[in-house]
């Protein structure tokens, strides 16, 4: 049991952390389907202010609204990231000028410095570590439907610690893209959760 991968959603006091509620089970189903990982298929919700996050191999944080971490949340986020943890942060607004994006990026600047969050190249190993995405991050239907900032973001950003991505940051709204009942996946010509598998495999092996 101790070697099972489990998905942690970070709960934080500000904003709306409990978005895209079906996404985790869908991604976990894909890990079972495509990989040999031992997977706990039940999402864990852990407060960012709790020391339980330090037991988590992979953390997810998202929302639409203002992100303003408490002192303890900031301390835990920094300690987790600097000690080998991995956080996937995804903006539900898919909008670089949206409230979540601006406030989350501000939090990262305050914790890690103004130049810590940088674009990663589209030939980064995260795009080929399991499935191949030759053009970088796959586009989401949320980007194409006119919501948000009407931009297709052709890059992701990251905070790199000791040569590896420690915080992967997306304005592409993958959470909503993968937020459907996993039994409906058979209707997709190409399974759109495959990039999520790459993210997890990178987090666990890099």
């Amino acid at each position: 049991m101790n070697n099972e991968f489990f998905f942690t959603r970070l709960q934080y006091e500000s904003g709306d952390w409990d978005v895209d509620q079906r996404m985790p089970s869908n991604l976990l189903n894909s890990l079972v389907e495509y990989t040999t990982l031992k997977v706990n298929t039940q999402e864990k919700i852990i407060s960012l202010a709790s020391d339980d996050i330090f037991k988590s191999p992979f953390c997810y944080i998202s929302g639409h609204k203002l992100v303003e971490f408490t002192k303890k949340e900031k301390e835990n986020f920094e300690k987790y990231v600097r000690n080998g943890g991995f956080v996937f942060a995804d903006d539900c607004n898919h909008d670089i000028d949206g409230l979540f994006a601006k406030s989350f990026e501000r939090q990262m600047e305050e914790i890690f410095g103004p130049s810590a969050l940088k674009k990663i190249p589209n030939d980064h190993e995260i795009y080929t570590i399991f499935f191949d995405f030759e053009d970088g991050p796959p586009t989401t239907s949320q980007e194409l439907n006119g919501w948000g900032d009407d931009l297709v973001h052709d890059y992701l950003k990251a905070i790199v610690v000791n040569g590896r991505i420690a915080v992967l940051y997306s304005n592409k709204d993958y959470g909503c893209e993968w937020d459907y009942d996993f039994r409906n996946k058979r209707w997709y010509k190409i399974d759109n959760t495959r990039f999520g598998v790459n993210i997890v495999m990178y987090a666990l092996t890099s």
Side-chain angles (χ1 to χ4, degrees):
M1 288 292 289
N2 291 338
N3 293 325
E4 284 186 331
F5 170 81
F6 60 91
F7 181 108
T8 295
R9 182 192 294 272
L10 293 177
Q11 178 181 6
Y12 52 99
E13 288 190 23
S14 58
D16 57 340
W17 55 269
D18 55 342
V19 293
D20 44 53
Q21 295 179 0
R22 295 172 299 181
M23 183 276 267
S25 61
N26 200 14
L27 177 53
L28 291 165
N29 170 261
S30 294
L31 291 171
V32 171
E33 185 176 353
Y34 296 122
T35 78
T36 57
L37 286 178
K38 293 179 181 177
V39 177
N40 182 333
T41 55
Q42 187 68 41
E43 171 192 16
K44 291 191 179 186
I45 297 172
I46 296 176
S47 167
L48 179 53
S50 167
D51 287 347
D52 286 344
I53 71 164
F54 301 114
K55 303 172 187 174
S56 301
F58 176 96
C59 290
Y60 174 69
I61 188 168
S62 188
H64 303 89
K65 300 178 183 178
L66 180 74
V67 182
E68 194 164 8
F69 292 151
T70 66
K71 183 173 182 288
K72 179 63 172 174
E73 287 174 342
K74 280 185 179 179
E75 290 172 355
N76 275 9
F77 196 102
E78 180 173 16
K79 183 178 177 183
Y80 176 76
V81 166
R82 292 201 187 281
N83 285 280
F86 183 95
V87 178
F88 174 39
D90 186 55
D91 175 15
C92 258
N93 294 314
H94 42 92
D95 186 346
I96 57 174
D97 293 319
L99 195 52
F100 179 90
K102 283 186 172 180
S103 58
F104 180 80
E105 291 193 26
R106 193 178 306 121
Q107 296 300 296
M108 295 301 98
E109 288 181 8
E110 290 179 7
I111 296 171
F112 300 103
S115 60
L117 196 60
K118 295 179 179 175
K119 292 181 183 180
I120 58 172
N122 287 349
D123 60 357
H124 190 280
E125 67 173 305
I126 200 168
Y127 299 118
T128 55
I129 196 164
F130 197 86
F131 293 107
D132 284 336
F133 296 91
E134 293 182 1
D135 298 322
T139 301
T140 64
S141 57
Q142 271 70 25
E143 292 178 287
L144 299 173
N145 68 10
W147 294 98
D149 53 19
D150 291 336
L151 294 175
V152 173
H153 302 282
D154 58 359
Y155 59 86
L156 298 181
K157 290 184 176 181
I159 293 172
V160 174
V161 176
N162 296 327
R164 67 180 285 273
I165 291 175
V167 180
L168 181 69
Y169 176 57
S170 156
N171 291 113
K172 298 177 76 69
D173 197 1
Y174 285 118
C176 286
E177 182 82 347
W178 304 335
D179 183 27
Y180 55 85
D181 191 296
F182 72 89
R183 290 167 293 191
N184 292 340
K185 205 190 301 185
R186 64 187 183 278
W187 305 113
Y188 285 82
K189 185 177 180 182
I190 297 176
D191 178 3
N192 62 8
T193 64
R194 294 182 309 150
F195 183 54
V197 174
N198 276 38
I199 295 172
V200 172
M201 297 305 286
Y202 179 88
L204 297 182
T205 61
S206 297

